[in-house]
Amino acid sequence: MKHSIATSKQHNTLYKKSVCALAISSALFSANIYAEEATDSKKAGLERIEVTARKTTESLQEVPIAVTSVGAAELAENGISNITEIERFSPNTTLQASRGTNSTLTAFIRGIGQQDPLWGYEPGVGIYIDDVYMARPQGAVLDLLDVERIEVLRGPQGTLYGKNTTGGAIKYVTKSMSGDTEFNIEGTVGSYSQRDLKITGQIPLIEDKLYVGFGHGMLKRDGFGEFLVAPNGSDTENYNKELTASRLTLEYHATDDLFMRLAWDKTDDDSNSKGGFRLLPSLLAPNAPIPDSKYDSYTSLPTWNKVELEGISLTIDWQATDNLSLKYVGSKRESYSPTNIDFDNTGLQIFDVPAVYDDENSSNELQASYRGDGFNVVGGLYQYSGESCGQYDAIIFLSLTAEVSGCNESESVAAYIQSNIDLTDKLSLTLGARYTKEERKADVYNDLYASIEYPYDNWIPGYDRDSSLPKTQVLGKDTNGDGVLDAMKSEDWSRFTPRVGIEYQADDNTMYFASFSQGFKSGTFNPRAGANEDAADPEIVDSFEIGMKKDWTDALRTNITLFSTEHQDRQYIVVVPQENDTDLGQFLANAASSDVKGIEAEVTWLATENLTLNLAYGHLSADIKQDETIKVPLVGLSNTPDDTFSLSANYLLESSVGVFMINAGYYYRSDYTIFEDDDSLKQDGFGQVNASITWEGNDGNWYGGIHAKNITDKEYMVGGYNFTSRNPDGSYGPGFGGDTTLIGYYGDPRTVHLTVGYRF
């Protein structure tokens, strides 16, 4: 148990960085195969896209689920710089940098995800890197992309991937090393003084047997705006970037049938904490008028911020027989993130929240795959252990501190199996099931101090935190019956999640499918609990899909899915009146259910030998039903537009100096709200225009590209805070903290960057 986070982490530096570094060398390997893939796919018709969505390697057109695969060539063509840009390729998908930091991910698929990144909360979209589960959103905005492909699996993946994939899953699939000696250096310069340097390579230690890969990256950029008011000595850049990442990979090809990989990664993100834009003038801080720029802000906290993660993983893949393969994946990850969150964004301490997040987890998975005569089956055992701790000091009214700290511990074990059985030459049946047992433990401590306090000693000059200040345990167990809570509170759940599907292969190029699948999101305790409350129940998602995947000709492909999703027992933080009707308490409750129906279409057309058009469209409509016993005025699905649309064109031009790829695209999102229970923070529909030109030299050594993003400089909200009250006439009045705190955070403005690389 960790009740003093600052103390425990100041002495532990072993695992404190980011998953970003896991793929740092892979980012450059994508350029190695770019020209070759681009030329082959454009001249030979529609390419075969392989995915591992069902934990075996299959053609995308043979997988009976809604999945988008973005390969290395496409990433290079579009100058993709981090995971959030993948959203424009996948219908009904939201991937955005969260409020407050550059590297915390807000992910939603089909209206299901995680709005609040507080410790202990479970995501609704699972993030996987080479089958390793990334449990927390901190650090999940990966700036260095993987070489092989990124897969977006839409809809619950509860059978093969387990809990916390109720909305779907995102998979990074890295490429095995070639075994040759390779070295790559790449530099990027761009808007807002962007200056990136990436160095990667690999060296064979034993020919055809043992290889070591390495990489290091430094990514820097000035802020899109500035802090107009900040404490003396603070860096005033807002929305800046300062990130370093390193990795080492050891691969051993013992035999043709036995492969092992040991991977280590580490990243420091020292970008400043992001300041939000005040949408209403402050009632208490006359020095904080509404700024002219959406990227300017004010703060009374230091602007430094940190996200540190480190991880190590081991993969062993053995082709035991021609039909049977066995695979083991084990990992250990740890992260540490002290952060400064100024909720009111003024120069006064009206509502400031300095905080610390502290996470560690490990997992082990043993998987078997068997291909028989007319059937294949994959099954396995999975174990996960995690501890997520945190502490924040909410400084309010210029003089009070409401302190909350605690830990959530999770132990999960599961067994799963899924089989595809040929009933006839054209008709097949998919049957899958997973049994998950989950135990959660939690404690919460809080107290109110008539002084300004910070999460650890001497954080800010002039404030000396007395580490002996008492804290009251409000969520826990009375183990000895003396009426005093003195241990973690615990709860456990188990769930059987099935999948049933039927597929009809009408001809070599046409597949129809229908399926039922179920997802399970763990129950959890409220990390902000003000009393010894019970845990919220798990969320259950039932999904029905029908779809068609068809290659009409060698030049035209359409993948279309219709879906209906029933989301039961959605978890919300709700404010409920106490018995005396004067005080309000925050409780984590299962406040609502939703019924979402929609369609997703992806179309690829090779219009000419050199010109490719791609279209992706998603539409959904939601009916939200509230729990009658809990009055929560829900207004819509968080971060989820009714419509997403993208259209892009790629033109391949071969010349005497190399291969050029010219790319242009338009991406549209209809209006959406940031929070499900409030429409004060609402983003109107908007579109973005992006364009790129990439080049690969004839000698295969030099390459480069110029990329322009958000060319029309659209301003769009991706996060926010609302602590206001509403008057009878609809105007805003003061809320928590005594001010009109309505804050928005925004996506990137127009940027242009140039990349040049050399490899040998």
Side-chain angles (χ1 to χ4, degrees):
M1 275 186 257
K2 299 180 184 176
H3 304 315
S4 177
I5 312 170
T7 301
S8 65
K9 279 304 170 187
Q10 286 171 343
H11 300 289
N12 187 353
T13 60
L14 179 60
Y15 288 96
K16 293 183 177 176
K17 320 291 181 209
S18 164
V19 197
C20 308
L22 182 65
I24 184 169
S25 65
S26 304
L28 298 183
F29 291 154
S30 64
N32 289 335
I33 63 175
Y34 159 65
E36 179 182 349
E37 284 191 3
T39 303
D40 291 346
S41 65
K42 300 301 181 295
K43 289 190 172 181
L46 293 166
E47 64 175 319
R48 173 186 169 90
I49 301 174
E50 291 190 341
V51 296
T52 54
R54 295 196 293 180
K55 297 203 172 184
T56 58
T57 302
E58 303 172 281
S59 166
L60 175 70
Q61 297 305 102
E62 298 171 356
V63 177
I65 62 176
V67 54
T68 297
S69 179
V70 185
E74 197 169 5
L75 296 173
E77 292 167 10
N78 289 273
I80 300 301
S81 61
N82 64 54
I83 186 179
T84 62
E85 297 182 76
I86 299 297
E87 70 175 7
R88 72 175 190 253
F89 297 92
S90 179
N92 292 325
T93 300
T94 295
L95 299 171
Q96 296 172 341
S98 182
R99 61 207 182 204
T101 74
N102 286 324
S103 54
T104 301
L105 180 67
T106 297
F108 282 79
I109 296 178
R110 295 180 179 176
I112 300 173
Q114 180 184 14
Q115 175 29 254
D116 195 332
L118 195 65
W119 71 86
Y121 285 149
E122 301 288 351
V125 175
I127 308 295
Y128 294 83
I129 300 178
D130 283 338
D131 295 322
V132 173
Y133 174 56
M134 188 173 181
R136 302 292 299 136
Q138 280 80 16
V141 177
L142 303 182
D143 290 275
L144 301 174
L145 298 180
D146 208 295
V147 56
E148 184 89 2
R149 64 188 178 274
I150 297 174
E151 300 174 14
V152 182
L153 286 60
R154 297 184 297 276
Q157 307 296 320
T159 301
L160 292 179
Y161 294 91
K163 71 186 185 75
N164 304 335
T165 57
T166 47
I170 299 172
K171 295 187 61 178
Y172 288 74
V173 183
T174 63
K175 182 186 180 184
S176 297
M177 284 184 272
S178 66
D180 299 325
T181 299
E182 295 181 2
F183 181 80
N184 204 129
I185 184 168
E186 178 181 294
T188 299
V189 294
S191 304
Y192 300 96
S193 299
Q194 179 183 355
R195 50 213 185 273
D196 300 341
L197 179 65
K198 306 171 187 176
I199 300 173
T200 63
Q202 56 175 291
I203 302 171
L205 302 179
I206 302 176
E207 186 176 359
D208 297 329
K209 290 289 186 181
L210 184 65
Y211 325 128
V212 62
F214 59 88
H216 183 71
M218 296 176 288
L219 311 177
K220 292 188 177 182
R221 188 198 65 230
D222 292 346
F224 299 144
E226 62 178 325
F227 290 96
L228 305 176
V229 173
N232 291 335
S234 291
D235 184 351
T236 59
E237 295 282 346
N238 194 20
Y239 287 84
N240 72 329
K241 175 179 284 188
E242 185 171 348
L243 182 145
T244 60
S246 303
R247 67 89 197 164
L248 285 172
T249 303
L250 187 67
E251 289 190 359
Y252 180 47
H253 297 253
T255 68
D256 291 341
D257 299 322
L258 181 60
F259 166 79
M260 304 178 189
R261 175 165 54 197
L262 182 66
W264 166 86
D265 65 271
K266 171 179 174 178
T267 296
D268 284 316
D269 185 357
D270 292 318
S271 310
N272 288 344
S273 180
K274 287 195 298 190
F277 177 76
R278 285 197 64 92
L279 296 166
L280 296 173
S282 172
L283 300 177
L284 303 178
N287 64 337
I290 296 177
D292 294 331
S293 169
K294 293 289 196 300
Y295 304 100
D296 287 346
S297 189
Y298 310 90
T299 185
S300 55
L301 286 174
T303 59
W304 64 261
N305 186 73
K306 185 176 286 292
V307 178
E308 301 178 327
L309 301 93
E310 187 173 14
I312 189 167
S313 66
L314 173 66
T315 300
I316 303 174
D317 202 338
W318 179 36
Q319 189 69 42
T321 69
D322 290 342
N323 296 331
L324 176 65
S325 64
L326 300 174
K327 187 175 184 180
Y328 167 80
V329 180
S331 73
K332 180 176 176 62
R333 301 210 63 81
E334 192 164 309
S335 68
Y336 174 62
S337 179
T339 186
N340 294 300
I341 309 171
D342 191 327
F343 279 61
D344 59 279
N345 290 116
T346 71
L348 300 178
Q349 293 183 304
I350 297 170
F351 188 10
D352 294 356
V353 182
V356 179
Y357 298 89
D358 177 6
D359 296 279
E360 61 182 29
N361 64 79
S362 62
S363 63
N364 296 276
E365 182 172 7
L366 182 62
Q367 175 192 310
S369 299
Y370 185 83
R371 292 184 177 273
D373 184 11
F375 75 97
N376 60 68
V377 60
V378 58
L381 301 173
Y382 180 79
Q383 178 270 334
Y384 170 87
S385 298
E387 184 178 45
S388 180
C389 298
Q391 179 174 320
Y392 67 82
D393 287 335
I395 302 168
I396 53 177
F397 304 117
L398 311 177
S399 60
L400 298 176
T401 301
E403 183 176 274
V404 177
S405 64
C407 289
N408 269 256
E409 295 181 4
S410 175
E411 295 286 340
S412 180
V413 294
Y416 64 89
I417 187 169
Q418 182 166 296
S419 180
N420 184 255
I421 305 165
D422 294 336
L423 302 178
T424 69
D425 290 342
K426 295 186 175 183
L427 189 66
S428 62
L429 177 68
T430 295
L431 294 175
R434 188 183 190 104
Y435 178 79
T436 303
K437 184 174 178 59
E438 172 94 1
E439 181 180 7
R440 300 296 297 268
K441 297 179 180 179
D443 54 18
V444 175
Y445 294 81
N446 60 45
D447 260 312
L448 182 67
Y449 304 115
S451 58
I452 295 177
E453 306 294 346
Y454 293 90
Y456 45 84
D457 291 351
N458 301 319
W459 184 4
I460 299 175
Y463 296 101
D464 186 5
R465 165 65 185 265
D466 181 358
S467 60
S468 66
L469 285 171
K471 287 186 284 187
T472 301
Q473 187 179 32
V474 296
L475 189 149
K477 295 179 68 177
D478 178 7
T479 57
N480 56 14
D482 64 358
V484 178
L485 301 175
D486 55 8
M488 302 186 84
K489 192 165 186 176
S490 65
E491 184 67 84
D492 61 80
W493 304 271
S494 60
R495 187 73 189 184
F496 173 83
T497 49
R499 179 179 181 88
V500 180
I502 190 165
E503 303 86 41
Y504 180 69
Q505 194 73 42
D507 54 48
D508 290 344
N509 299 312
T510 308
M511 181 185 70
Y512 300 96
F513 64 92
S515 67
F516 166 80
S517 60
Q518 189 172 85
F520 164 69
K521 178 179 175 181
S522 174
T524 191
F525 290 95
N526 180 12
R528 296 190 185 94
N532 193 33
E533 62 183 81
D534 293 330
D537 292 331
E539 297 182 6
I540 306 299
V541 173
D542 293 331
S543 178
F544 299 86
E545 293 186 4
I546 59 172
M548 177 188 74
K549 296 189 174 185
K550 183 174 179 63
D551 290 349
W552 297 85
T553 67
D554 288 342
L556 180 62
R557 170 177 294 162
T558 60
N559 292 342
I560 300 173
T561 305
L562 301 173
F563 65 90
S564 175
T565 299
E566 297 179 0
H567 190 179
Q568 307 168 40
D569 292 326
R570 296 180 72 117
Q571 298 168 0
Y572 290 95
I573 287 287
V574 296
V575 178
V576 180
Q578 302 297 292
E579 291 181 1
N580 58 17
D581 292 328
T582 58
D583 297 326
L584 295 179
Q586 285 192 332
F587 290 83
L588 180 61
N590 301 97
S593 63
S594 65
D595 186 1
V596 179
K597 295 179 173 62
I599 184 172
E600 295 161 350
E602 297 173 275
V603 181
T604 300
W605 178 36
L606 305 184
T608 70
E609 188 174 73
N610 293 336
L611 177 63
T612 303
L613 301 178
N614 290 283
L615 179 147
Y617 173 69
H619 171 78
L620 56 78
S621 60
D623 179 22
I624 301 180
K625 301 175 182 178
Q626 298 174 212
D627 188 319
E628 295 180 356
T629 64
I630 303 175
K631 304 301 182 183
V632 182
L634 302 178
V635 296
L637 297 178
S638 171
N639 293 278
T640 301
D642 289 346
D643 296 281
T644 59
F645 171 82
S646 68
L647 177 65
S648 64
N650 307 295
Y651 186 77
L652 179 70
L653 176 64
E654 296 178 277
S655 73
S656 61
V657 297
V659 178
F660 291 86
M661 179 65 73
I662 304 169
N663 176 281
Y666 175 76
Y667 175 59
Y668 175 79
R669 293 170 65 84
S670 62
D671 58 13
Y672 55 88
T673 58
I674 300 300
F675 296 105
E676 296 186 335
D677 60 352
D678 180 36
D679 61 1
S680 298
L681 293 173
K682 183 176 182 179
Q683 173 60 52
D684 293 334
F686 67 94
Q688 286 183 310
V689 178
N690 307 287
S692 300
I693 300 176
T694 55
W695 164 78
E696 176 95 9
N698 287 326
D699 60 5
N701 298 127
W702 288 97
Y703 64 93
I706 185 167
H707 308 277
K709 300 175 183 178
N710 192 11
I711 293 174
T712 58
D713 206 19
K714 291 291 184 181
E715 295 178 341
Y716 57 99
M717 192 184 304
V718 297
Y721 295 109
N722 180 17
F723 295 96
T724 63
S725 60
R726 296 297 287 267
N727 299 317
D729 62 359
S731 62
Y732 290 95
F736 189 75
D739 201 6
T740 48
T741 299
L742 189 64
I743 308 297
Y745 294 86
Y746 289 82
D748 291 3
R750 176 175 53 238
T751 58
V752 179
H753 67 265
L754 171 68
T755 295
V756 177
Y758 181 79
R759 58 175 170 266
F760 60 85

